[in-house]
């Protein structure tokens, strides 16, 4: 794969073979973010589990202390008092049958997070084939199916992200913007890793955090020492 001049220059800022401490890796990653826009910093964590087994799935959600730097548009499936509470909490769109019809009939998808009251899931289930592939289907594990829709809206706006294992046993998550600087990014990164470590399946054997790489949107990946991640560093 051929990379551009800026990518090549960024790659010279660090040693690809070195495993860096998280703070040092994030400082280097910020330096590689030379695009004209505020690049997103992402973490890619490979776990020592097998996603083909149901008892080794790793999935959850966590609120990053410094947010993601992205304006989050929230759609809420709710009625009555729940709908009023969601609107008061700042949701962009709130509805029930009308919202389902808008998504099904018009293909309307102008939202980043979907939240549903539990009594709405029979209705929202009709959208499984539309929302599922986009990672937008409300889920109890992600905290987006909840009786407290107002709090879920507040959390989403504050920088709540969902993490889940893909088919290659890797979790990919945004942890902020290059403009945050290394300290805020490191706080977000540590919060995410702590959550992933706490979510370790009981059936997982051997080293849990196998590898970890951070990168800017347009930049090269910087490798992190897996023994140094998370405030607990519980590798087990």
């Amino acid at each position: 794969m051929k990379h551009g001049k800026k990518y090549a220059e960024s790659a010279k800022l660090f040693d690809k073979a070195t495993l860096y401490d998280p703070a040092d890796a994030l400082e280097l990653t910020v330096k590689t973010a030379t695009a004209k826009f505020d690049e997103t910093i992402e973490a890619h964590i490979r776990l020592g589990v097998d996603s083909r087994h149901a008892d080794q799935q790793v999935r959850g959600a966590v609120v990053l202390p410094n947010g993601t730097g992205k304006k989050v548009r929230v759609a809420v499936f709710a009625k009555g008092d729940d709908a009023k509470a969601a609107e008061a909490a700042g949701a962009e769109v709130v509805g029930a049958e009308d919202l389902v019809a808008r998504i099904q009939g018009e293909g309307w998808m102008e939202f980043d997070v979907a939240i549903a009251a539990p009594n709405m899931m029979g209705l929202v289930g009709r959208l499984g084939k539309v929302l599922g592939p986009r990672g937008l289907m409300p889920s109890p594990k992600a905290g987006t199916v909840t009786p407290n829709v107002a709090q879920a809206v507040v959390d989403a706006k504050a920088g709540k992200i969902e993490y889940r294992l893909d088919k290659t046993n890797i979790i990919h998550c945004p942890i902020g913007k290059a403009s945050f600087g290394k300290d805020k990014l490191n706080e977000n990164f540590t919060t995410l890793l702590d959550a992933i470590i706490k979510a370790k399946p009981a059936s997982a054997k051997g080293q849990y955090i196998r590898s970890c790489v951070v990168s800017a949107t347009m930049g090269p990946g910087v490798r992190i020492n897996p023994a140094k991640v998370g405030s607990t560093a519980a590798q087990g």
Side-chain angles (χ1 to χ4, degrees):
M1 185 176 180
K2 191 174 182 180
H3 295 291
K5 185 179 178 181
K6 285 187 177 181
Y7 183 101
E9 289 298 318
S10 294
K12 294 177 183 177
L13 295 173
F14 62 94
D15 181 358
K16 289 183 179 180
T18 298
L19 296 177
Y20 293 92
D21 284 352
D24 294 335
L26 288 163
E27 184 174 19
L28 288 167
T29 304
V30 169
K31 288 180 180 178
T32 70
T34 57
K36 292 181 180 178
F37 61 93
D38 192 7
E39 295 184 51
T40 296
I41 307 300
E42 297 179 345
H44 309 276
I45 303 110
R46 183 184 295 277
L47 301 183
V49 297
D50 188 341
S51 62
R52 293 174 298 178
H53 300 292
D55 63 348
Q56 293 191 39
Q57 289 293 326
V58 179
R59 181 180 181 182
V62 63
V63 177
L64 300 180
N66 300 300
T68 63
K70 179 183 177 182
K71 185 180 184 299
V72 179
R73 301 166 300 175
V74 181
V76 178
F77 297 91
K79 288 182 177 180
D81 290 341
D82 286 337
K84 292 177 184 176
E87 288 174 352
E92 275 73 12
V93 179
V94 180
E97 286 87 355
D98 56 331
L99 182 52
V100 171
R102 189 177 178 188
I103 293 170
Q104 279 186 323
E106 301 173 23
W108 183 81
M109 295 294 295
E110 294 177 24
F111 54 92
D112 306 298
V113 176
I115 294 166
N119 61 359
M120 289 284 102
M121 285 310 293
L123 188 64
V124 179
R126 301 175 193 170
L127 300 174
K129 290 183 179 179
V130 179
L131 300 182
R134 293 174 171 83
L136 291 170
M137 190 67 182
S139 157
K141 284 189 176 181
T144 46
V145 176
T146 171
N148 192 346
V149 292
Q151 186 60 51
V153 172
V154 171
D155 287 345
K157 295 281 187 181
K160 186 175 185 178
I161 60 168
E162 183 179 356
Y163 58 87
R164 63 187 301 177
L165 210 59
D166 70 7
K167 291 180 180 178
T168 61
N169 304 317
I170 299 175
I171 289 173
H172 308 272
C173 280
I175 55 170
K177 297 287 187 178
S179 60
F180 283 18
K182 71 167 185 176
D183 293 337
K184 286 186 176 180
L185 287 169
N186 196 32
E187 287 178 8
N188 281 357
F189 175 78
T190 300
T191 299
L192 171 63
L193 265 292
D194 283 349
I196 292 172
I197 289 168
K198 287 175 183 174
K200 179 181 179 180
S203 58
K205 305 298 181 185
Q207 186 178 1
Y208 181 50
I209 307 291
R210 291 286 177 87
S211 66
C212 186
V213 174
V214 287
S215 64
T217 304
M218 306 296 288
V222 182
R223 299 171 68 198
I224 288 177
N225 185 342
K228 299 289 184 72
V229 301
S231 61
T232 54
Q235 292 304 301

